[in-house]
Amino acid sequence: MERQGLLIVHTGKGKGKTTAALGLAMRAWGDGLRVLILQFIKGGWKYGELHAIETLAKAEGRIEVRQMGLGFTRKGETPRAEHLAAAKKALQLAETEITSGKWDMVILDEINYAVKFGLISEQELADLLAQRPKNLHLVCTGRDAPAVLLAQADLITEMKSHRHPFESGIKAQKGIEF
């Protein structure tokens, strides 16, 4: 039976969008699929999931993560022009990899934020989606998923926060939030 690629969206204000996508990547890898994770905002961070993915890649290959972003866009430490350039580079790489035939699943982590913050346009995202081969699973994460993405998605999961430890003054903890 021929695989039908799915367009999957993890969005919403709750915690866990990237974590859910990476869990899906682990499942896909475990079943023999080739998985690429492109991170549009994160860059230079070292966190638990990266170590796990690097370990899987060394063990058997077929999974890769590339941090393309420059980190938070609102801190003002990095000029906006540099964030724009990084997002354009990530978008170009996404197009190349999505159409390459090398991957069974591509995760565009935080691409929704890239659109929300004006680093890439909805039209650029629509153009990218139009190039997706029918057998490729494509996963897009981030709050405020754009309408063009939601209209085409086969599966949409909205994370909703009911309570978060930060609201009680508990800071982000390694192994939990990052």
Side-chain angles (χ1 to χ4, degrees):
M1 186 170 129
E2 187 176 349
R3 182 179 64 240
Q4 172 63 47
L6 299 175
L7 178 55
I8 300 169
V9 178
H10 293 173
T11 193
K13 295 184 191 288
K15 177 183 171 339
K17 295 171 287 294
T18 295
T19 303
L22 295 179
L24 188 55
M26 300 293 173
R27 173 183 286 159
W29 179 88
D31 282 332
L33 289 120
R34 301 162 298 157
V35 182
L36 174 65
I37 302 143
L38 297 177
Q39 296 185 310
F40 274 74
I41 302 296
K42 291 180 183 97
W45 293 4
K46 293 292 181 190
Y47 51 91
E49 294 103 334
L50 286 180
H51 178 69
I53 291 166
E54 289 168 0
T55 301
L56 293 177
K58 287 177 188 173
E60 196 177 319
R62 293 188 290 103
I63 191 166
E64 187 176 331
V65 62
R66 299 184 200 166
Q67 292 183 307
M68 304 296 296
L70 301 176
F72 292 115
T73 60
R74 293 182 278 186
K75 283 192 171 187
E77 298 166 358
T78 305
R80 180 166 172 77
E82 291 181 30
H83 284 290
L84 284 164
K88 296 295 182 197
K89 184 177 178 182
L91 186 66
Q92 290 169 347
L93 182 61
E95 178 182 334
T96 298
E97 295 296 349
I98 283 170
T99 59
S100 73
K102 293 190 304 188
W103 308 103
D104 300 305
M105 175 182 286
V106 174
I107 297 173
L108 304 177
D109 187 35
E110 297 182 329
I111 193 167
N112 298 345
Y113 292 120
V115 173
K116 177 182 179 177
F117 299 144
L119 301 176
I120 63 173
S121 70
E122 275 197 52
Q123 185 59 54
E124 289 172 312
L125 176 58
D127 293 344
L128 181 65
L129 295 175
Q131 296 182 52
R132 178 175 65 99
K134 68 178 186 170
N135 64 343
L136 177 77
H137 299 298
L138 185 63
V139 183
C140 300
T141 74
R143 290 184 183 195
D144 302 314
V148 67
L149 178 59
L150 295 175
Q152 296 182 48
D154 297 297
L155 173 62
I156 302 168
T157 300
E158 182 176 359
M159 309 297 187
K160 183 177 179 183
S161 180
H162 292 272
R163 181 179 302 136
H164 194 288
F166 188 75
E167 296 164 353
S168 301
I170 300 171
K171 294 184 179 184
Q173 299 179 63
K174 189 172 186 171
I176 303 296
E177 278 87 19
F178 61 95

